[in-house]
PDB file of all heavy atoms in Angstrom:
ATOM      1  N   SER A   1     -12.754   7.237 -22.746  1.00  0.00           N
ATOM      2  CA  SER A   1     -12.270   6.716 -21.465  1.00  0.00           C
ATOM      3  C   SER A   1     -12.900   7.432 -20.280  1.00  0.00           C
ATOM      4  O   SER A   1     -12.902   6.902 -19.170  1.00  0.00           O
ATOM      5  CB  SER A   1     -10.745   6.831 -21.380  1.00  0.00           C
ATOM      6  OG  SER A   1     -10.129   5.992 -22.319  1.00  0.00           O
ATOM      7  N   PHE A   2     -13.447   8.635 -20.530  1.00  0.00           N
ATOM      8  CA  PHE A   2     -14.173   9.324 -19.468  1.00  0.00           C
ATOM      9  C   PHE A   2     -15.566   8.708 -19.387  1.00  0.00           C
ATOM     10  O   PHE A   2     -16.549   9.244 -19.880  1.00  0.00           O
ATOM     11  CB  PHE A   2     -14.271  10.829 -19.742  1.00  0.00           C
ATOM     12  CG  PHE A   2     -14.766  11.629 -18.571  1.00  0.00           C
ATOM     13  CD1 PHE A   2     -13.882  12.130 -17.639  1.00  0.00           C
ATOM     14  CD2 PHE A   2     -16.127  11.870 -18.390  1.00  0.00           C
ATOM     15  CE1 PHE A   2     -14.337  12.863 -16.550  1.00  0.00           C
ATOM     16  CE2 PHE A   2     -16.592  12.597 -17.310  1.00  0.00           C
ATOM     17  CZ  PHE A   2     -15.692  13.097 -16.387  1.00  0.00           C
ATOM     18  N   ASP A   3     -15.628   7.528 -18.769  1.00  0.00           N
ATOM     19  CA  ASP A   3     -16.843   6.723 -18.696  1.00  0.00           C
ATOM     20  C   ASP A   3     -17.173   6.481 -17.245  1.00  0.00           C
ATOM     21  O   ASP A   3     -16.440   5.813 -16.530  1.00  0.00           O
ATOM     22  CB  ASP A   3     -16.630   5.388 -19.430  1.00  0.00           C
ATOM     23  CG  ASP A   3     -17.909   4.568 -19.502  1.00  0.00           C
ATOM     24  OD1 ASP A   3     -18.446   4.229 -18.429  1.00  0.00           O
ATOM     25  OD2 ASP A   3     -18.354   4.281 -20.623  1.00  0.00           O
ATOM     26  N   ARG A   4     -18.294   7.015 -16.809  1.00  0.00           N
ATOM     27  CA  ARG A   4     -18.610   6.971 -15.384  1.00  0.00           C
ATOM     28  C   ARG A   4     -18.791   5.550 -14.879  1.00  0.00           C
ATOM     29  O   ARG A   4     -18.301   5.188 -13.815  1.00  0.00           O
ATOM     30  CB  ARG A   4     -19.868   7.791 -15.102  1.00  0.00           C
ATOM     31  CG  ARG A   4     -19.625   9.294 -15.250  1.00  0.00           C
ATOM     32  CD  ARG A   4     -20.864  10.074 -14.883  1.00  0.00           C
ATOM     33  NE  ARG A   4     -21.927   9.822 -15.842  1.00  0.00           N
ATOM     34  CZ  ARG A   4     -23.181   9.549 -15.509  1.00  0.00           C
ATOM     35  NH1 ARG A   4     -23.513   9.476 -14.244  1.00  0.00           N
ATOM     36  NH2 ARG A   4     -24.096   9.354 -16.424  1.00  0.00           N
ATOM     37  N   ASP A   5     -19.503   4.703 -15.607  1.00  0.00           N
ATOM     38  CA  ASP A   5     -19.757   3.338 -15.135  1.00  0.00           C
ATOM     39  C   ASP A   5     -18.477   2.517 -15.086  1.00  0.00           C
ATOM     40  O   ASP A   5     -18.160   1.870 -14.100  1.00  0.00           O
ATOM     41  CB  ASP A   5     -20.778   2.646 -16.044  1.00  0.00           C
ATOM     42  CG  ASP A   5     -22.146   3.296 -15.949  1.00  0.00           C
ATOM     43  OD1 ASP A   5     -22.417   3.909 -14.892  1.00  0.00           O
ATOM     44  OD2 ASP A   5     -22.902   3.196 -16.914  1.00  0.00           O
ATOM     45  N   GLN A   6     -17.714   2.571 -16.183  1.00  0.00           N
ATOM     46  CA  GLN A   6     -16.467   1.792 -16.254  1.00  0.00           C
ATOM     47  C   GLN A   6     -15.481   2.265 -15.192  1.00  0.00           C
ATOM     48  O   GLN A   6     -14.889   1.466 -14.462  1.00  0.00           O
ATOM     49  CB  GLN A   6     -15.850   1.932 -17.641  1.00  0.00           C
ATOM     50  CG  GLN A   6     -14.511   1.219 -17.780  1.00  0.00           C
ATOM     51  CD  GLN A   6     -13.864   1.491 -19.126  1.00  0.00           C
ATOM     52  OE1 GLN A   6     -14.383   2.231 -19.947  1.00  0.00           O
ATOM     53  NE2 GLN A   6     -12.711   0.911 -19.345  1.00  0.00           N
ATOM     54  N   SER A   7     -15.304   3.584 -15.090  1.00  0.00           N
ATOM     55  CA  SER A   7     -14.349   4.115 -14.121  1.00  0.00           C
ATOM     56  C   SER A   7     -14.779   3.801 -12.707  1.00  0.00           C
ATOM     57  O   SER A   7     -13.968   3.482 -11.844  1.00  0.00           O
ATOM     58  CB  SER A   7     -14.207   5.638 -14.297  1.00  0.00           C
ATOM     59  OG  SER A   7     -13.748   5.936 -15.587  1.00  0.00           O
ATOM     60  N   GLY A   8     -16.095   3.877 -12.445  1.00  0.00           N
ATOM     61  CA  GLY A   8     -16.587   3.606 -11.111  1.00  0.00           C
ATOM     62  C   GLY A   8     -16.300   2.186 -10.662  1.00  0.00           C
ATOM     63  O   GLY A   8     -15.949   1.939  -9.514  1.00  0.00           O
ATOM     64  N   ALA A   9     -16.428   1.252 -11.585  1.00  0.00           N
ATOM     65  CA  ALA A   9     -16.157  -0.143 -11.236  1.00  0.00           C
ATOM     66  C   ALA A   9     -14.707  -0.340 -10.845  1.00  0.00           C
ATOM     67  O   ALA A   9     -14.391  -1.073  -9.922  1.00  0.00           O
ATOM     68  CB  ALA A   9     -16.514  -1.043 -12.409  1.00  0.00           C
ATOM     69  N   LYS A  10     -13.823   0.328 -11.552  1.00  0.00           N
ATOM     70  CA  LYS A  10     -12.399   0.190 -11.255  1.00  0.00           C
ATOM     71  C   LYS A  10     -12.051   0.838  -9.926  1.00  0.00           C
ATOM     72  O   LYS A  10     -11.286   0.298  -9.138  1.00  0.00           O
ATOM     73  CB  LYS A  10     -11.553   0.819 -12.370  1.00  0.00           C
ATOM     74  CG  LYS A  10     -11.629   0.074 -13.690  1.00  0.00           C
ATOM     75  CD  LYS A  10     -10.772   0.775 -14.724  1.00  0.00           C
ATOM     76  CE  LYS A  10     -10.842   0.085 -16.068  1.00  0.00           C
ATOM     77  NZ  LYS A  10     -10.035   0.786 -17.085  1.00  0.00           N
ATOM     78  N   LEU A  11     -12.623   1.997  -9.672  1.00  0.00           N
ATOM     79  CA  LEU A  11     -12.269   2.720  -8.456  1.00  0.00           C
ATOM     80  C   LEU A  11     -12.749   1.992  -7.207  1.00  0.00           C
ATOM     81  O   LEU A  11     -12.184   2.147  -6.138  1.00  0.00           O
ATOM     82  CB  LEU A  11     -12.873   4.130  -8.492  1.00  0.00           C
ATOM     83  CG  LEU A  11     -12.388   5.093  -7.409  1.00  0.00           C
ATOM     84  CD1 LEU A  11     -10.912   5.363  -7.552  1.00  0.00           C
ATOM     85  CD2 LEU A  11     -13.181   6.375  -7.435  1.00  0.00           C
ATOM     86  N   ALA A  12     -13.757   1.161  -7.361  1.00  0.00           N
ATOM     87  CA  ALA A  12     -14.300   0.462  -6.202  1.00  0.00           C
ATOM     88  C   ALA A  12     -13.287  -0.441  -5.527  1.00  0.00           C
ATOM     89  O   ALA A  12     -13.441  -0.822  -4.377  1.00  0.00           O
ATOM     90  CB  ALA A  12     -15.517  -0.362  -6.621  1.00  0.00           C
ATOM     91  N   SER A  13     -12.200  -0.789  -6.260  1.00  0.00           N
ATOM     92  CA  SER A  13     -11.188  -1.680  -5.690  1.00  0.00           C
ATOM     93  C   SER A  13     -10.239  -0.953  -4.743  1.00  0.00           C
ATOM     94  O   SER A  13      -9.491  -1.577  -4.015  1.00  0.00           O
ATOM     95  CB  SER A  13     -10.379  -2.344  -6.814  1.00  0.00           C
ATOM     96  OG  SER A  13      -9.641  -1.368  -7.533  1.00  0.00           O
ATOM     97  N   LEU A  14     -10.250   0.366  -4.754  1.00  0.00           N
ATOM     98  CA  LEU A  14      -9.363   1.120  -3.879  1.00  0.00           C
ATOM     99  C   LEU A  14      -9.846   1.045  -2.436  1.00  0.00           C
ATOM    100  O   LEU A  14     -11.021   0.859  -2.156  1.00  0.00           O
ATOM    101  CB  LEU A  14      -9.303   2.593  -4.317  1.00  0.00           C
ATOM    102  CG  LEU A  14      -8.608   2.882  -5.655  1.00  0.00           C
ATOM    103  CD1 LEU A  14      -8.664   4.382  -5.933  1.00  0.00           C
ATOM    104  CD2 LEU A  14      -7.185   2.395  -5.658  1.00  0.00           C
ATOM    105  N   SER A  15      -8.918   1.211  -1.499  1.00  0.00           N
ATOM    106  CA  SER A  15      -9.269   1.210  -0.078  1.00  0.00           C
ATOM    107  C   SER A  15      -8.487   2.301   0.623  1.00  0.00           C
ATOM    108  O   SER A  15      -7.604   2.931   0.052  1.00  0.00           O
ATOM    109  CB  SER A  15      -8.938  -0.140   0.550  1.00  0.00           C
ATOM    110  OG  SER A  15      -7.534  -0.310   0.629  1.00  0.00           O
ATOM    111  N   ALA A  16      -8.801   2.510   1.889  1.00  0.00           N
ATOM    112  CA  ALA A  16      -8.095   3.509   2.678  1.00  0.00           C
ATOM    113  C   ALA A  16      -6.627   3.158   2.844  1.00  0.00           C
ATOM    114  O   ALA A  16      -5.802   4.024   3.111  1.00  0.00           O
ATOM    115  CB  ALA A  16      -8.753   3.657   4.044  1.00  0.00           C
ATOM    116  N   VAL A  17      -6.302   1.876   2.712  1.00  0.00           N
ATOM    117  CA  VAL A  17      -4.895   1.464   2.781  1.00  0.00           C
ATOM    118  C   VAL A  17      -4.109   2.081   1.632  1.00  0.00           C
ATOM    119  O   VAL A  17      -2.965   2.508   1.780  1.00  0.00           O
ATOM    120  CB  VAL A  17      -4.786  -0.078   2.732  1.00  0.00           C
ATOM    121  CG1 VAL A  17      -3.326  -0.509   2.605  1.00  0.00           C
ATOM    122  CG2 VAL A  17      -5.406  -0.682   3.978  1.00  0.00           C
ATOM    123  N   ASP A  18      -4.742   2.140   0.442  1.00  0.00           N
ATOM    124  CA  ASP A  18      -4.053   2.611  -0.750  1.00  0.00           C
ATOM    125  C   ASP A  18      -4.008   4.124  -0.843  1.00  0.00           C
ATOM    126  O   ASP A  18      -3.092   4.689  -1.420  1.00  0.00           O
ATOM    127  CB  ASP A  18      -4.759   2.081  -2.011  1.00  0.00           C
ATOM    128  CG  ASP A  18      -4.908   0.576  -1.990  1.00  0.00           C
ATOM    129  OD1 ASP A  18      -3.891  -0.111  -1.833  1.00  0.00           O
ATOM    130  OD2 ASP A  18      -6.049   0.091  -2.102  1.00  0.00           O
ATOM    131  N   SER A  19      -5.011   4.803  -0.299  1.00  0.00           N
ATOM    132  CA  SER A  19      -5.157   6.221  -0.577  1.00  0.00           C
ATOM    133  C   SER A  19      -5.649   6.972   0.648  1.00  0.00           C
ATOM    134  O   SER A  19      -6.502   6.486   1.401  1.00  0.00           O
ATOM    135  CB  SER A  19      -6.148   6.419  -1.725  1.00  0.00           C
ATOM    136  OG  SER A  19      -6.454   7.779  -1.912  1.00  0.00           O
ATOM    137  N   VAL A  20      -5.140   8.194   0.827  1.00  0.00           N
ATOM    138  CA  VAL A  20      -5.623   9.047   1.910  1.00  0.00           C
ATOM    139  C   VAL A  20      -6.927   9.727   1.516  1.00  0.00           C
ATOM    140  O   VAL A  20      -7.520  10.450   2.311  1.00  0.00           O
ATOM    141  CB  VAL A  20      -4.565  10.107   2.278  1.00  0.00           C
ATOM    142  CG1 VAL A  20      -3.347   9.464   2.903  1.00  0.00           C
ATOM    143  CG2 VAL A  20      -4.188  10.954   1.064  1.00  0.00           C
ATOM    144  N   ALA A  21      -7.383   9.502   0.269  1.00  0.00           N
ATOM    145  CA  ALA A  21      -8.637  10.103  -0.162  1.00  0.00           C
ATOM    146  C   ALA A  21      -9.844   9.405   0.463  1.00  0.00           C
ATOM    147  O   ALA A  21     -10.943   9.960   0.498  1.00  0.00           O
ATOM    148  CB  ALA A  21      -8.748  10.053  -1.685  1.00  0.00           C
ATOM    149  N   LEU A  22      -9.656   8.161   0.939  1.00  0.00           N
ATOM    150  CA  LEU A  22     -10.735   7.416   1.565  1.00  0.00           C
ATOM    151  C   LEU A  22     -10.489   7.332   3.070  1.00  0.00           C
ATOM    152  O   LEU A  22      -9.359   7.257   3.522  1.00  0.00           O
ATOM    153  CB  LEU A  22     -10.823   6.019   0.959  1.00  0.00           C
ATOM    154  CG  LEU A  22     -11.065   5.961  -0.554  1.00  0.00           C
ATOM    155  CD1 LEU A  22     -11.047   4.523  -1.031  1.00  0.00           C
ATOM    156  CD2 LEU A  22     -12.377   6.637  -0.918  1.00  0.00           C
ATOM    157  N   ALA A  23     -11.560   7.339   3.838  1.00  0.00           N
ATOM    158  CA  ALA A  23     -11.440   7.362   5.293  1.00  0.00           C
ATOM    159  C   ALA A  23     -10.837   6.066   5.824  1.00  0.00           C
ATOM    160  O   ALA A  23     -11.171   4.969   5.376  1.00  0.00           O
ATOM    161  CB  ALA A  23     -12.805   7.601   5.930  1.00  0.00           C
ATOM    162  N   ALA A  24      -9.939   6.208   6.784  1.00  0.00           N
ATOM    163  CA  ALA A  24      -9.348   5.046   7.454  1.00  0.00           C
ATOM    164  C   ALA A  24     -10.218   4.659   8.646  1.00  0.00           C
ATOM    165  O   ALA A  24     -10.999   5.480   9.150  1.00  0.00           O
ATOM    166  CB  ALA A  24      -7.934   5.384   7.930  1.00  0.00           C
ATOM    167  N   PRO A  25     -10.102   3.420   9.133  1.00  0.00           N
ATOM    168  CA  PRO A  25     -10.870   3.017  10.322  1.00  0.00           C
ATOM    169  C   PRO A  25     -10.561   3.921  11.507  1.00  0.00           C
ATOM    170  O   PRO A  25      -9.402   4.125  11.865  1.00  0.00           O
ATOM    171  CB  PRO A  25     -10.380   1.585  10.575  1.00  0.00           C
ATOM    172  CG  PRO A  25      -9.902   1.096   9.231  1.00  0.00           C
ATOM    173  CD  PRO A  25      -9.318   2.309   8.564  1.00  0.00           C
ATOM    174  N   GLY A  26     -11.575   4.505  12.079  1.00  0.00           N
ATOM    175  CA  GLY A  26     -11.398   5.361  13.241  1.00  0.00           C
ATOM    176  C   GLY A  26     -10.882   6.753  12.931  1.00  0.00           C
ATOM    177  O   GLY A  26     -10.586   7.525  13.858  1.00  0.00           O
ATOM    178  N   GLU A  27     -10.776   7.109  11.659  1.00  0.00           N
ATOM    179  CA  GLU A  27     -10.253   8.437  11.306  1.00  0.00           C
ATOM    180  C   GLU A  27     -11.177   9.538  11.821  1.00  0.00           C
ATOM    181  O   GLU A  27     -12.411   9.427  11.749  1.00  0.00           O
ATOM    182  CB  GLU A  27     -10.099   8.559   9.791  1.00  0.00           C
ATOM    183  CG  GLU A  27      -9.527   9.899   9.349  1.00  0.00           C
ATOM    184  CD  GLU A  27      -9.198   9.940   7.861  1.00  0.00           C
ATOM    185  OE1 GLU A  27      -9.345   8.893   7.185  1.00  0.00           O
ATOM    186  OE2 GLU A  27      -8.787  11.015   7.381  1.00  0.00           O
ATOM    187  N   GLN A  28     -10.583  10.612  12.320  1.00  0.00           N
ATOM    188  CA  GLN A  28     -11.334  11.752  12.825  1.00  0.00           C
ATOM    189  C   GLN A  28     -11.311  12.899  11.815  1.00  0.00           C
ATOM    190  O   GLN A  28     -10.383  13.010  11.003  1.00  0.00           O
ATOM    191  CB  GLN A  28     -10.748  12.233  14.149  1.00  0.00           C
ATOM    192  CG  GLN A  28     -10.853  11.229  15.273  1.00  0.00           C
ATOM    193  CD  GLN A  28     -10.265  11.750  16.579  1.00  0.00           C
ATOM    194  OE1 GLN A  28      -9.577  12.766  16.618  1.00  0.00           O
ATOM    195  NE2 GLN A  28     -10.547  11.047  17.668  1.00  0.00           N
ATOM    196  N   PHE A  29     -12.334  13.740  11.908  1.00  0.00           N
ATOM    197  CA  PHE A  29     -12.438  14.913  11.044  1.00  0.00           C
ATOM    198  C   PHE A  29     -12.765  16.126  11.910  1.00  0.00           C
ATOM    199  O   PHE A  29     -13.531  16.021  12.880  1.00  0.00           O
ATOM    200  CB  PHE A  29     -13.496  14.694   9.964  1.00  0.00           C
ATOM    201  CG  PHE A  29     -13.165  13.536   9.044  1.00  0.00           C
ATOM    202  CD1 PHE A  29     -13.583  12.256   9.351  1.00  0.00           C
ATOM    203  CD2 PHE A  29     -12.402  13.749   7.905  1.00  0.00           C
ATOM    204  CE1 PHE A  29     -13.253  11.185   8.525  1.00  0.00           C
ATOM    205  CE2 PHE A  29     -12.071  12.685   7.076  1.00  0.00           C
ATOM    206  CZ  PHE A  29     -12.500  11.398   7.378  1.00  0.00           C
ATOM    207  N   ILE A  30     -12.175  17.246  11.547  1.00  0.00           N
ATOM    208  CA  ILE A  30     -12.254  18.436  12.382  1.00  0.00           C
ATOM    209  C   ILE A  30     -13.693  18.927  12.572  1.00  0.00           C
ATOM    210  O   ILE A  30     -14.036  19.524  13.599  1.00  0.00           O
ATOM    211  CB  ILE A  30     -11.364  19.572  11.809  1.00  0.00           C
ATOM    212  CG1 ILE A  30     -11.161  20.696  12.830  1.00  0.00           C
ATOM    213  CG2 ILE A  30     -11.939  20.089  10.510  1.00  0.00           C
ATOM    214  CD1 ILE A  30     -10.275  20.328  13.983  1.00  0.00           C
ATOM    215  N   ASP A  31     -14.569  18.638  11.587  1.00  0.00           N
ATOM    216  CA  ASP A  31     -15.948  19.119  11.666  1.00  0.00           C
ATOM    217  C   ASP A  31     -16.915  18.042  12.176  1.00  0.00           C
ATOM    218  O   ASP A  31     -18.133  18.199  12.075  1.00  0.00           O
ATOM    219  CB  ASP A  31     -16.414  19.646  10.313  1.00  0.00           C
ATOM    220  CG  ASP A  31     -16.305  18.618   9.197  1.00  0.00           C
ATOM    221  OD1 ASP A  31     -15.633  17.588   9.400  1.00  0.00           O
ATOM    222  OD2 ASP A  31     -16.878  18.853   8.115  1.00  0.00           O
ATOM    223  N   ALA A  32     -16.366  16.945  12.686  1.00  0.00           N
ATOM    224  CA  ALA A  32     -17.199  15.858  13.207  1.00  0.00           C
ATOM    225  C   ALA A  32     -16.768  15.533  14.635  1.00  0.00           C
ATOM    226  O   ALA A  32     -15.866  16.156  15.193  1.00  0.00           O
ATOM    227  CB  ALA A  32     -17.101  14.638  12.305  1.00  0.00           C
ATOM    228  N   SER A  33     -17.393  14.531  15.210  1.00  0.00           N
ATOM    229  CA  SER A  33     -17.079  14.129  16.587  1.00  0.00           C
ATOM    230  C   SER A  33     -15.600  13.736  16.704  1.00  0.00           C
ATOM    231  O   SER A  33     -15.055  13.084  15.807  1.00  0.00           O
ATOM    232  CB  SER A  33     -17.963  12.935  16.973  1.00  0.00           C
ATOM    233  OG  SER A  33     -17.662  12.489  18.271  1.00  0.00           O
ATOM    234  N   PRO A  34     -14.912  14.158  17.754  1.00  0.00           N
ATOM    235  CA  PRO A  34     -15.430  14.823  18.961  1.00  0.00           C
ATOM    236  C   PRO A  34     -15.307  16.346  18.936  1.00  0.00           C
ATOM    237  O   PRO A  34     -15.598  16.990  19.954  1.00  0.00           O
ATOM    238  CB  PRO A  34     -14.518  14.241  20.045  1.00  0.00           C
ATOM    239  CG  PRO A  34     -13.194  14.102  19.358  1.00  0.00           C
ATOM    240  CD  PRO A  34     -13.517  13.684  17.946  1.00  0.00           C
TER     241      PRO A  34
END
């Protein structure tokens, strides 16, 4: 089950709505602008 191709395809369905691990629209980061 530790399969990079298979797992990658499944993970592609996730979005920032579902998880804080992915950037949200307009999200800021302390080491980036501004």
